[in-house]
Amino acid sequence: MDDLVNDTVSTALPVFPYHPDPLATGSVAPDPHTACACCGRVRGHVYAGPVYTASDEDLRGRLCPWCIADGSAAERYDASFCGVVAGDVPEAVRTAVDRRTPGFTAWQESVWLSHCGDAAAFLGPVGSAELAAYPDALDALRREAVAWQWSADEIERYLGSFDREGQPTAYLFRCRVCEAHLAYSDFT
């Protein structure tokens, strides 16, 4: 019997504490053919989210998750992957989210939520149906809309209109300390 040689690179993604399942959120996509612009390796997955850099080079879909996790992509291209880290968090946390964590695509600039002095874990874009299981996130969205000075009826209609694939969209997070669910919404 002939021995089989396995040339494939392990497809186990790096662990991202602030983005636990980047495949499910769409921030990382399977791609068996693209070589990473940073390390030059074909790793089987590419980062599909936003890349913020002063360079004119378009890096979306051209970086592997491993080069994001180890910081080499951020270092080489002076890149970041998150729009805004909201709240009062230590600089080390801000750096971990912005330069070593896959970001996510939002209708406008993405906002990474924080809670209990730490950045929260991004769980993904959600619509109204998915939000029903997270009353604490719905309460956060109500508070967001109250700040816009909307009536109670307008707020409830708005909360019922979220669409994971369309707009408006809600972005769901979970506190890494107390496990409360948080969300913010976005639309054009």
Side-chain angles (χ1 to χ4, degrees), residues 13-14 16-28 102 121-124 164:
L13 292 174
F16 296 104
Y18 296 105
H19 198 150
D21 196 349
L23 275 171
T25 66
S27 292
V28 169
F122 178 64
L123 302 181
R164 184 184 197 287

Side-chain angles (χ1 to χ4, degrees), residues 49-74:
V51 181
Y52 304 100
T53 180
S55 165
D56 288 337
E57 189 170 0
D58 182 10
L59 295 169
R60 185 183 286 248
R62 297 186 51 232
L63 295 172
C64 74
W66 292 266
C67 286
I68 293 173
D70 70 14
S72 58

Side-chain angles (χ1 to χ4, degrees), residues 3-129:
D3 288 334
L4 296 176
V5 177
N6 185 349
D7 289 340
T8 59
V9 174
S10 170
T11 58
L13 292 174
V15 173
F16 296 104
Y18 296 105
H19 198 150
D21 196 349
L23 275 171
T25 66
S27 292
V28 169
D31 183 332
H33 306 291
T34 301
C36 175
C38 186
C39 69
R41 295 176 67 185
V42 175
R43 301 293 300 253
H45 292 89
V46 294
Y47 172 59
V51 181
Y52 304 100
T53 180
S55 165
D56 288 337
E57 189 170 0
D58 182 10
L59 295 169
R60 185 183 286 248
R62 297 186 51 232
L63 295 172
C64 74
W66 292 266
C67 286
I68 293 173
D70 70 14
S72 58
E75 178 78 21
R76 180 172 183 180
Y77 298 103
D78 192 20
S80 64
F81 307 100
C82 173
V84 173
V85 178
D88 188 20
V89 297
E91 191 58 35
V93 169
R94 194 172 302 283
T95 299
V97 170
D98 195 39
R99 296 179 60 88
R100 292 177 168 249
T101 301
F104 61 94
T105 302
W107 289 106
Q108 298 182 48
E109 185 176 37
S110 62
V111 176
W112 207 282
L113 298 181
S114 64
H115 198 261
C116 293
D118 191 12
F122 178 64
L123 302 181
V126 292
S128 297

